[in-house]
Amino acid sequence: QRDHAVFIWLGVMPVVAAALSSGLTAALTQRVLKGSKGRNSWLYSVELSVWGSMFLIGGTLANADSRSRLITQGPYKGWSLFCLVPVFTQATGGILVGLVTKYSDSVKKGFALICGIVLTTLAQALLEDAPLTEWHVAAAVLVTIGTLLHSKFPPKPVEPNGKSK
């Protein structure tokens, strides 16, 4: 009984919280980018990166061990040119996500993300001889069904007065 409670609180609840916060963030981002003023998605991406950097630096400075290493060794100790690959990949991905959200919507972005995870799982199974479990197959089937349902029955646009067309 105790293991089940631990499973729920340490396994399921963080995933549910992450999904809810991700959905809320996607909806708010879409509202900001597509709102009446239609903010610049490039500027919005820069703003998000500045906030993210401030929290990252703040977290580093709050930890005494990390702070002393940062002061004595500098921020780029152990870096090589290969370290720039994920940095530029993440930066490009952030800009692309902002553009997709501005010109499409967050639901389609979510489907693209999930399809990417499914493709990554399939590639890992093929390239690393990692066996696919029944959970992988079930997830792929559910993603396919969800994508097909969303494309066959797209949401109706909402008029400014809040009613569906």
Side-chain angles (χ1 to χ4, degrees), residues 48-84:
L48 289 177
S49 70
V50 167
W51 279 103
S53 297
M54 287 190 327
F55 279 101
L56 181 65
I57 292 168
T60 302
L61 295 176
N63 183 309
D65 195 33
S66 297
R67 184 176 54 243
S68 66
R69 246 191 329 238
L70 179 68
I71 292 170
T72 58
Q73 299 175 356
Y76 302 109
K77 171 73 174 159
W79 279 53
S80 70
L81 283 178
F82 290 114
C83 295
L84 295 177

PDB file of all heavy atoms in Angstrom, residues 48-84:
ATOM      1  N   LEU A  48      12.172  35.230 -23.083  1.00  0.00           N
ATOM      2  CA  LEU A  48      12.149  33.955 -22.363  1.00  0.00           C
ATOM      3  C   LEU A  48      13.563  33.478 -22.039  1.00  0.00           C
ATOM      4  O   LEU A  48      13.818  32.959 -20.948  1.00  0.00           O
ATOM      5  CB  LEU A  48      11.404  32.897 -23.172  1.00  0.00           C
ATOM      6  CG  LEU A  48       9.894  33.061 -23.278  1.00  0.00           C
ATOM      7  CD1 LEU A  48       9.314  31.977 -24.176  1.00  0.00           C
ATOM      8  CD2 LEU A  48       9.234  33.024 -21.917  1.00  0.00           C
ATOM      9  N   SER A  49      14.484  33.660 -22.976  1.00  0.00           N
ATOM     10  CA  SER A  49      15.856  33.211 -22.716  1.00  0.00           C
ATOM     11  C   SER A  49      16.518  34.057 -21.632  1.00  0.00           C
ATOM     12  O   SER A  49      17.302  33.544 -20.833  1.00  0.00           O
ATOM     13  CB  SER A  49      16.683  33.232 -24.002  1.00  0.00           C
ATOM     14  OG  SER A  49      16.922  34.554 -24.421  1.00  0.00           O
ATOM     15  N   VAL A  50      16.206  35.345 -21.579  1.00  0.00           N
ATOM     16  CA  VAL A  50      16.760  36.195 -20.528  1.00  0.00           C
ATOM     17  C   VAL A  50      16.241  35.749 -19.165  1.00  0.00           C
ATOM     18  O   VAL A  50      17.012  35.603 -18.205  1.00  0.00           O
ATOM     19  CB  VAL A  50      16.436  37.689 -20.793  1.00  0.00           C
ATOM     20  CG1 VAL A  50      16.716  38.543 -19.569  1.00  0.00           C
ATOM     21  CG2 VAL A  50      17.215  38.194 -21.990  1.00  0.00           C
ATOM     22  N   TRP A  51      14.921  35.496 -19.073  1.00  0.00           N
ATOM     23  CA  TRP A  51      14.360  35.022 -17.801  1.00  0.00           C
ATOM     24  C   TRP A  51      14.961  33.677 -17.405  1.00  0.00           C
ATOM     25  O   TRP A  51      15.320  33.461 -16.245  1.00  0.00           O
ATOM     26  CB  TRP A  51      12.831  34.905 -17.889  1.00  0.00           C
ATOM     27  CG  TRP A  51      12.148  36.212 -17.690  1.00  0.00           C
ATOM     28  CD1 TRP A  51      11.601  37.015 -18.652  1.00  0.00           C
ATOM     29  CD2 TRP A  51      11.943  36.894 -16.454  1.00  0.00           C
ATOM     30  NE1 TRP A  51      11.079  38.144 -18.089  1.00  0.00           N
ATOM     31  CE2 TRP A  51      11.270  38.090 -16.728  1.00  0.00           C
ATOM     32  CE3 TRP A  51      12.274  36.609 -15.137  1.00  0.00           C
ATOM     33  CZ2 TRP A  51      10.912  38.996 -15.742  1.00  0.00           C
ATOM     34  CZ3 TRP A  51      11.913  37.512 -14.148  1.00  0.00           C
ATOM     35  CH2 TRP A  51      11.249  38.691 -14.457  1.00  0.00           C
ATOM     36  N   GLY A  52      15.073  32.774 -18.359  1.00  0.00           N
ATOM     37  CA  GLY A  52      15.669  31.470 -18.076  1.00  0.00           C
ATOM     38  C   GLY A  52      17.104  31.588 -17.612  1.00  0.00           C
ATOM     39  O   GLY A  52      17.538  30.913 -16.669  1.00  0.00           O
ATOM     40  N   SER A  53      17.867  32.472 -18.256  1.00  0.00           N
ATOM     41  CA  SER A  53      19.267  32.679 -17.868  1.00  0.00           C
ATOM     42  C   SER A  53      19.374  33.255 -16.466  1.00  0.00           C
ATOM     43  O   SER A  53      20.246  32.861 -15.692  1.00  0.00           O
ATOM     44  CB  SER A  53      19.956  33.615 -18.865  1.00  0.00           C
ATOM     45  OG  SER A  53      19.982  33.034 -20.143  1.00  0.00           O
ATOM     46  N   MET A  54      18.474  34.196 -16.137  1.00  0.00           N
ATOM     47  CA  MET A  54      18.516  34.781 -14.794  1.00  0.00           C
ATOM     48  C   MET A  54      18.256  33.727 -13.719  1.00  0.00           C
ATOM     49  O   MET A  54      18.942  33.700 -12.698  1.00  0.00           O
ATOM     50  CB  MET A  54      17.498  35.924 -14.681  1.00  0.00           C
ATOM     51  CG  MET A  54      17.926  37.167 -15.431  1.00  0.00           C
ATOM     52  SD  MET A  54      16.959  38.665 -15.136  1.00  0.00           S
ATOM     53  CE  MET A  54      15.330  38.135 -14.850  1.00  0.00           C
ATOM     54  N   PHE A  55      17.278  32.841 -13.957  1.00  0.00           N
ATOM     55  CA  PHE A  55      17.010  31.789 -12.976  1.00  0.00           C
ATOM     56  C   PHE A  55      18.164  30.794 -12.895  1.00  0.00           C
ATOM     57  O   PHE A  55      18.511  30.314 -11.814  1.00  0.00           O
ATOM     58  CB  PHE A  55      15.693  31.071 -13.295  1.00  0.00           C
ATOM     59  CG  PHE A  55      14.496  31.820 -12.819  1.00  0.00           C
ATOM     60  CD1 PHE A  55      13.730  32.564 -13.697  1.00  0.00           C
ATOM     61  CD2 PHE A  55      14.135  31.797 -11.483  1.00  0.00           C
ATOM     62  CE1 PHE A  55      12.622  33.264 -13.261  1.00  0.00           C
ATOM     63  CE2 PHE A  55      13.031  32.494 -11.023  1.00  0.00           C
ATOM     64  CZ  PHE A  55      12.269  33.235 -11.916  1.00  0.00           C
ATOM     65  N   LEU A  56      18.774  30.477 -14.030  1.00  0.00           N
ATOM     66  CA  LEU A  56      19.911  29.563 -14.038  1.00  0.00           C
ATOM     67  C   LEU A  56      21.104  30.160 -13.282  1.00  0.00           C
ATOM     68  O   LEU A  56      21.719  29.494 -12.451  1.00  0.00           O
ATOM     69  CB  LEU A  56      20.306  29.234 -15.481  1.00  0.00           C
ATOM     70  CG  LEU A  56      21.465  28.283 -15.674  1.00  0.00           C
ATOM     71  CD1 LEU A  56      21.105  26.901 -15.139  1.00  0.00           C
ATOM     72  CD2 LEU A  56      21.825  28.184 -17.140  1.00  0.00           C
ATOM     73  N   ILE A  57      21.406  31.405 -13.561  1.00  0.00           N
ATOM     74  CA  ILE A  57      22.516  32.065 -12.867  1.00  0.00           C
ATOM     75  C   ILE A  57      22.195  32.204 -11.382  1.00  0.00           C
ATOM     76  O   ILE A  57      23.056  31.968 -10.523  1.00  0.00           O
ATOM     77  CB  ILE A  57      22.823  33.431 -13.518  1.00  0.00           C
ATOM     78  CG1 ILE A  57      23.402  33.215 -14.922  1.00  0.00           C
ATOM     79  CG2 ILE A  57      23.787  34.249 -12.663  1.00  0.00           C
ATOM     80  CD1 ILE A  57      23.484  34.466 -15.760  1.00  0.00           C
ATOM     81  N   GLY A  58      20.948  32.573 -11.062  1.00  0.00           N
ATOM     82  CA  GLY A  58      20.550  32.685  -9.662  1.00  0.00           C
ATOM     83  C   GLY A  58      20.681  31.374  -8.917  1.00  0.00           C
ATOM     84  O   GLY A  58      21.167  31.328  -7.783  1.00  0.00           O
ATOM     85  N   GLY A  59      20.271  30.278  -9.556  1.00  0.00           N
ATOM     86  CA  GLY A  59      20.405  28.962  -8.931  1.00  0.00           C
ATOM     87  C   GLY A  59      21.852  28.565  -8.735  1.00  0.00           C
ATOM     88  O   GLY A  59      22.216  27.962  -7.721  1.00  0.00           O
ATOM     89  N   THR A  60      22.690  28.928  -9.695  1.00  0.00           N
ATOM     90  CA  THR A  60      24.124  28.631  -9.577  1.00  0.00           C
ATOM     91  C   THR A  60      24.751  29.426  -8.443  1.00  0.00           C
ATOM     92  O   THR A  60      25.537  28.902  -7.658  1.00  0.00           O
ATOM     93  CB  THR A  60      24.847  28.944 -10.901  1.00  0.00           C
ATOM     94  OG1 THR A  60      24.256  28.172 -11.940  1.00  0.00           O
ATOM     95  CG2 THR A  60      26.319  28.631 -10.812  1.00  0.00           C
ATOM     96  N   LEU A  61      24.389  30.692  -8.341  1.00  0.00           N
ATOM     97  CA  LEU A  61      24.964  31.538  -7.292  1.00  0.00           C
ATOM     98  C   LEU A  61      24.424  31.186  -5.909  1.00  0.00           C
ATOM     99  O   LEU A  61      25.093  31.429  -4.902  1.00  0.00           O
ATOM    100  CB  LEU A  61      24.708  33.009  -7.604  1.00  0.00           C
ATOM    101  CG  LEU A  61      25.406  33.549  -8.860  1.00  0.00           C
ATOM    102  CD1 LEU A  61      25.004  34.993  -9.117  1.00  0.00           C
ATOM    103  CD2 LEU A  61      26.914  33.406  -8.753  1.00  0.00           C
ATOM    104  N   ALA A  62      23.235  30.612  -5.837  1.00  0.00           N
ATOM    105  CA  ALA A  62      22.655  30.243  -4.540  1.00  0.00           C
ATOM    106  C   ALA A  62      23.347  29.024  -3.941  1.00  0.00           C
ATOM    107  O   ALA A  62      23.362  28.859  -2.725  1.00  0.00           O
ATOM    108  CB  ALA A  62      21.153  29.974  -4.699  1.00  0.00           C
ATOM    109  N   ASN A  63      23.930  28.176  -4.776  1.00  0.00           N
ATOM    110  CA  ASN A  63      24.625  26.987  -4.302  1.00  0.00           C
ATOM    111  C   ASN A  63      26.088  27.349  -4.047  1.00  0.00           C
ATOM    112  O   ASN A  63      26.798  27.769  -4.967  1.00  0.00           O
ATOM    113  CB  ASN A  63      24.506  25.871  -5.352  1.00  0.00           C
ATOM    114  CG  ASN A  63      25.140  24.592  -4.914  1.00  0.00           C
ATOM    115  OD1 ASN A  63      26.283  24.559  -4.485  1.00  0.00           O
ATOM    116  ND2 ASN A  63      24.392  23.517  -5.055  1.00  0.00           N
ATOM    117  N   ALA A  64      26.544  27.191  -2.817  1.00  0.00           N
ATOM    118  CA  ALA A  64      27.899  27.610  -2.442  1.00  0.00           C
ATOM    119  C   ALA A  64      28.972  26.881  -3.251  1.00  0.00           C
ATOM    120  O   ALA A  64      29.963  27.490  -3.689  1.00  0.00           O
ATOM    121  CB  ALA A  64      28.122  27.386  -0.948  1.00  0.00           C
ATOM    122  N   ASP A  65      28.798  25.572  -3.470  1.00  0.00           N
ATOM    123  CA  ASP A  65      29.791  24.798  -4.216  1.00  0.00           C
ATOM    124  C   ASP A  65      29.877  25.273  -5.667  1.00  0.00           C
ATOM    125  O   ASP A  65      30.966  25.489  -6.204  1.00  0.00           O
ATOM    126  CB  ASP A  65      29.421  23.315  -4.141  1.00  0.00           C
ATOM    127  CG  ASP A  65      30.558  22.411  -4.558  1.00  0.00           C
ATOM    128  OD1 ASP A  65      31.723  22.783  -4.315  1.00  0.00           O
ATOM    129  OD2 ASP A  65      30.272  21.328  -5.122  1.00  0.00           O
ATOM    130  N   SER A  66      28.709  25.459  -6.302  1.00  0.00           N
ATOM    131  CA  SER A  66      28.691  25.918  -7.694  1.00  0.00           C
ATOM    132  C   SER A  66      29.222  27.337  -7.805  1.00  0.00           C
ATOM    133  O   SER A  66      29.935  27.675  -8.756  1.00  0.00           O
ATOM    134  CB  SER A  66      27.262  25.869  -8.244  1.00  0.00           C
ATOM    135  OG  SER A  66      26.788  24.559  -8.262  1.00  0.00           O
ATOM    136  N   ARG A  67      28.892  28.180  -6.826  1.00  0.00           N
ATOM    137  CA  ARG A  67      29.351  29.566  -6.835  1.00  0.00           C
ATOM    138  C   ARG A  67      30.875  29.636  -6.755  1.00  0.00           C
ATOM    139  O   ARG A  67      31.517  30.365  -7.517  1.00  0.00           O
ATOM    140  CB  ARG A  67      28.704  30.330  -5.681  1.00  0.00           C
ATOM    141  CG  ARG A  67      29.043  31.794  -5.646  1.00  0.00           C
ATOM    142  CD  ARG A  67      28.322  32.563  -4.551  1.00  0.00           C
ATOM    143  NE  ARG A  67      28.526  31.960  -3.239  1.00  0.00           N
ATOM    144  CZ  ARG A  67      27.553  31.443  -2.483  1.00  0.00           C
ATOM    145  NH1 ARG A  67      26.297  31.452  -2.903  1.00  0.00           N
ATOM    146  NH2 ARG A  67      27.821  30.925  -1.296  1.00  0.00           N
ATOM    147  N   SER A  68      31.478  28.845  -5.858  1.00  0.00           N
ATOM    148  CA  SER A  68      32.940  28.896  -5.722  1.00  0.00           C
ATOM    149  C   SER A  68      33.622  28.367  -6.981  1.00  0.00           C
ATOM    150  O   SER A  68      34.647  28.901  -7.408  1.00  0.00           O
ATOM    151  CB  SER A  68      33.396  28.123  -4.484  1.00  0.00           C
ATOM    152  OG  SER A  68      33.132  26.746  -4.637  1.00  0.00           O
ATOM    153  N   ARG A  69      33.048  27.312  -7.593  1.00  0.00           N
ATOM    154  CA  ARG A  69      33.618  26.796  -8.846  1.00  0.00           C
ATOM    155  C   ARG A  69      33.499  27.820  -9.955  1.00  0.00           C
ATOM    156  O   ARG A  69      34.418  27.987 -10.762  1.00  0.00           O
ATOM    157  CB  ARG A  69      32.895  25.511  -9.247  1.00  0.00           C
ATOM    158  CG  ARG A  69      33.773  24.304  -9.209  1.00  0.00           C
ATOM    159  CD  ARG A  69      33.128  23.117  -9.847  1.00  0.00           C
ATOM    160  NE  ARG A  69      31.684  23.124  -9.707  1.00  0.00           N
ATOM    161  CZ  ARG A  69      30.977  22.165  -9.133  1.00  0.00           C
ATOM    162  NH1 ARG A  69      31.565  21.101  -8.682  1.00  0.00           N
ATOM    163  NH2 ARG A  69      29.675  22.247  -9.034  1.00  0.00           N
ATOM    164  N   LEU A  70      32.384  28.531 -10.009  1.00  0.00           N
ATOM    165  CA  LEU A  70      32.183  29.558 -11.032  1.00  0.00           C
ATOM    166  C   LEU A  70      33.197  30.685 -10.868  1.00  0.00           C
ATOM    167  O   LEU A  70      33.774  31.165 -11.852  1.00  0.00           O
ATOM    168  CB  LEU A  70      30.756  30.108 -10.945  1.00  0.00           C
ATOM    169  CG  LEU A  70      30.387  31.205 -11.926  1.00  0.00           C
ATOM    170  CD1 LEU A  70      30.341  30.634 -13.339  1.00  0.00           C
ATOM    171  CD2 LEU A  70      29.050  31.814 -11.575  1.00  0.00           C
ATOM    172  N   ILE A  71      33.445  31.085  -9.632  1.00  0.00           N
ATOM    173  CA  ILE A  71      34.376  32.187  -9.373  1.00  0.00           C
ATOM    174  C   ILE A  71      35.817  31.773  -9.655  1.00  0.00           C
ATOM    175  O   ILE A  71      36.581  32.516 -10.278  1.00  0.00           O
ATOM    176  CB  ILE A  71      34.214  32.690  -7.920  1.00  0.00           C
ATOM    177  CG1 ILE A  71      32.848  33.364  -7.767  1.00  0.00           C
ATOM    178  CG2 ILE A  71      35.330  33.660  -7.539  1.00  0.00           C
ATOM    179  CD1 ILE A  71      32.460  33.679  -6.345  1.00  0.00           C
ATOM    180  N   THR A  72      36.198  30.557  -9.238  1.00  0.00           N
ATOM    181  CA  THR A  72      37.595  30.143  -9.395  1.00  0.00           C
ATOM    182  C   THR A  72      37.921  29.651 -10.801  1.00  0.00           C
ATOM    183  O   THR A  72      39.010  29.902 -11.310  1.00  0.00           O
ATOM    184  CB  THR A  72      37.963  29.038  -8.385  1.00  0.00           C
ATOM    185  OG1 THR A  72      37.098  27.926  -8.568  1.00  0.00           O
ATOM    186  CG2 THR A  72      37.869  29.556  -6.966  1.00  0.00           C
ATOM    187  N   GLN A  73      36.992  28.933 -11.438  1.00  0.00           N
ATOM    188  CA  GLN A  73      37.290  28.318 -12.726  1.00  0.00           C
ATOM    189  C   GLN A  73      36.647  29.029 -13.907  1.00  0.00           C
ATOM    190  O   GLN A  73      37.009  28.784 -15.051  1.00  0.00           O
ATOM    191  CB  GLN A  73      36.838  26.861 -12.718  1.00  0.00           C
ATOM    192  CG  GLN A  73      37.538  26.031 -11.669  1.00  0.00           C
ATOM    193  CD  GLN A  73      36.981  24.626 -11.608  1.00  0.00           C
ATOM    194  OE1 GLN A  73      36.026  24.280 -12.299  1.00  0.00           O
ATOM    195  NE2 GLN A  73      37.570  23.796 -10.766  1.00  0.00           N
ATOM    196  N   GLY A  74      35.650  29.875 -13.654  1.00  0.00           N
ATOM    197  CA  GLY A  74      34.961  30.562 -14.740  1.00  0.00           C
ATOM    198  C   GLY A  74      33.819  29.714 -15.292  1.00  0.00           C
ATOM    199  O   GLY A  74      33.729  28.514 -15.021  1.00  0.00           O
ATOM    200  N   PRO A  75      32.957  30.328 -16.087  1.00  0.00           N
ATOM    201  CA  PRO A  75      31.764  29.617 -16.547  1.00  0.00           C
ATOM    202  C   PRO A  75      32.019  28.586 -17.655  1.00  0.00           C
ATOM    203  O   PRO A  75      31.191  27.717 -17.894  1.00  0.00           O
ATOM    204  CB  PRO A  75      30.853  30.735 -17.057  1.00  0.00           C
ATOM    205  CG  PRO A  75      31.781  31.833 -17.427  1.00  0.00           C
ATOM    206  CD  PRO A  75      32.939  31.727 -16.486  1.00  0.00           C
ATOM    207  N   TYR A  76      33.162  28.686 -18.335  1.00  0.00           N
ATOM    208  CA  TYR A  76      33.384  27.803 -19.492  1.00  0.00           C
ATOM    209  C   TYR A  76      34.474  26.773 -19.261  1.00  0.00           C
ATOM    210  O   TYR A  76      35.008  26.203 -20.215  1.00  0.00           O
ATOM    211  CB  TYR A  76      33.710  28.644 -20.727  1.00  0.00           C
ATOM    212  CG  TYR A  76      32.615  29.636 -21.042  1.00  0.00           C
ATOM    213  CD1 TYR A  76      32.805  30.995 -20.851  1.00  0.00           C
ATOM    214  CD2 TYR A  76      31.386  29.196 -21.480  1.00  0.00           C
ATOM    215  CE1 TYR A  76      31.794  31.902 -21.111  1.00  0.00           C
ATOM    216  CE2 TYR A  76      30.351  30.093 -21.744  1.00  0.00           C
ATOM    217  CZ  TYR A  76      30.570  31.437 -21.552  1.00  0.00           C
ATOM    218  OH  TYR A  76      29.558  32.323 -21.805  1.00  0.00           O
ATOM    219  N   LYS A  77      34.789  26.478 -18.025  1.00  0.00           N
ATOM    220  CA  LYS A  77      35.793  25.458 -17.701  1.00  0.00           C
ATOM    221  C   LYS A  77      35.321  24.103 -18.207  1.00  0.00           C
ATOM    222  O   LYS A  77      34.214  23.659 -17.916  1.00  0.00           O
ATOM    223  CB  LYS A  77      36.002  25.415 -16.180  1.00  0.00           C
ATOM    224  CG  LYS A  77      36.844  24.279 -15.696  1.00  0.00           C
ATOM    225  CD  LYS A  77      38.286  24.490 -16.034  1.00  0.00           C
ATOM    226  CE  LYS A  77      39.096  23.370 -15.387  1.00  0.00           C
ATOM    227  NZ  LYS A  77      40.348  23.178 -15.986  1.00  0.00           N
ATOM    228  N   GLY A  78      36.147  23.444 -19.008  1.00  0.00           N
ATOM    229  CA  GLY A  78      35.810  22.124 -19.531  1.00  0.00           C
ATOM    230  C   GLY A  78      35.031  22.147 -20.841  1.00  0.00           C
ATOM    231  O   GLY A  78      34.696  21.106 -21.373  1.00  0.00           O
ATOM    232  N   TRP A  79      34.741  23.321 -21.368  1.00  0.00           N
ATOM    233  CA  TRP A  79      34.003  23.427 -22.617  1.00  0.00           C
ATOM    234  C   TRP A  79      34.940  23.203 -23.800  1.00  0.00           C
ATOM    235  O   TRP A  79      36.127  23.492 -23.748  1.00  0.00           O
ATOM    236  CB  TRP A  79      33.386  24.811 -22.757  1.00  0.00           C
ATOM    237  CG  TRP A  79      32.101  24.984 -22.010  1.00  0.00           C
ATOM    238  CD1 TRP A  79      31.880  24.722 -20.698  1.00  0.00           C
ATOM    239  CD2 TRP A  79      30.882  25.465 -22.538  1.00  0.00           C
ATOM    240  NE1 TRP A  79      30.595  25.023 -20.367  1.00  0.00           N
ATOM    241  CE2 TRP A  79      29.945  25.481 -21.476  1.00  0.00           C
ATOM    242  CE3 TRP A  79      30.463  25.897 -23.780  1.00  0.00           C
ATOM    243  CZ2 TRP A  79      28.642  25.906 -21.644  1.00  0.00           C
ATOM    244  CZ3 TRP A  79      29.162  26.321 -23.944  1.00  0.00           C
ATOM    245  CH2 TRP A  79      28.263  26.319 -22.894  1.00  0.00           C
ATOM    246  N   SER A  80      34.371  22.688 -24.891  1.00  0.00           N
ATOM    247  CA  SER A  80      35.081  22.593 -26.164  1.00  0.00           C
ATOM    248  C   SER A  80      34.136  23.116 -27.239  1.00  0.00           C
ATOM    249  O   SER A  80      32.995  23.476 -26.963  1.00  0.00           O
ATOM    250  CB  SER A  80      35.474  21.145 -26.451  1.00  0.00           C
ATOM    251  OG  SER A  80      34.336  20.370 -26.738  1.00  0.00           O
ATOM    252  N   LEU A  81      34.587  23.107 -28.476  1.00  0.00           N
ATOM    253  CA  LEU A  81      33.701  23.555 -29.563  1.00  0.00           C
ATOM    254  C   LEU A  81      32.482  22.652 -29.708  1.00  0.00           C
ATOM    255  O   LEU A  81      31.424  23.091 -30.137  1.00  0.00           O
ATOM    256  CB  LEU A  81      34.482  23.622 -30.876  1.00  0.00           C
ATOM    257  CG  LEU A  81      35.395  24.835 -31.028  1.00  0.00           C
ATOM    258  CD1 LEU A  81      36.155  24.766 -32.348  1.00  0.00           C
ATOM    259  CD2 LEU A  81      34.622  26.127 -30.925  1.00  0.00           C
ATOM    260  N   PHE A  82      32.631  21.374 -29.322  1.00  0.00           N
ATOM    261  CA  PHE A  82      31.500  20.454 -29.420  1.00  0.00           C
ATOM    262  C   PHE A  82      30.372  20.834 -28.464  1.00  0.00           C
ATOM    263  O   PHE A  82      29.222  20.465 -28.678  1.00  0.00           O
ATOM    264  CB  PHE A  82      31.950  19.018 -29.164  1.00  0.00           C
ATOM    265  CG  PHE A  82      32.803  18.456 -30.255  1.00  0.00           C
ATOM    266  CD1 PHE A  82      34.129  18.145 -30.023  1.00  0.00           C
ATOM    267  CD2 PHE A  82      32.287  18.266 -31.526  1.00  0.00           C
ATOM    268  CE1 PHE A  82      34.925  17.646 -31.036  1.00  0.00           C
ATOM    269  CE2 PHE A  82      33.067  17.765 -32.546  1.00  0.00           C
ATOM    270  CZ  PHE A  82      34.388  17.454 -32.305  1.00  0.00           C
ATOM    271  N   CYS A  83      30.694  21.563 -27.413  1.00  0.00           N
ATOM    272  CA  CYS A  83      29.658  21.995 -26.465  1.00  0.00           C
ATOM    273  C   CYS A  83      28.718  23.013 -27.087  1.00  0.00           C
ATOM    274  O   CYS A  83      27.599  23.208 -26.601  1.00  0.00           O
ATOM    275  CB  CYS A  83      30.298  22.596 -25.219  1.00  0.00           C
ATOM    276  SG  CYS A  83      31.253  21.419 -24.267  1.00  0.00           S
ATOM    277  N   LEU A  84      29.146  23.663 -28.152  1.00  0.00           N
ATOM    278  CA  LEU A  84      28.290  24.652 -28.799  1.00  0.00           C
ATOM    279  C   LEU A  84      27.166  24.008 -29.605  1.00  0.00           C
ATOM    280  O   LEU A  84      26.157  24.658 -29.880  1.00  0.00           O
ATOM    281  CB  LEU A  84      29.128  25.560 -29.693  1.00  0.00           C
ATOM    282  CG  LEU A  84      30.147  26.434 -28.961  1.00  0.00           C
ATOM    283  CD1 LEU A  84      30.975  27.227 -29.963  1.00  0.00           C
ATOM    284  CD2 LEU A  84      29.465  27.340 -27.972  1.00  0.00           C
TER     285      LEU A  84
END
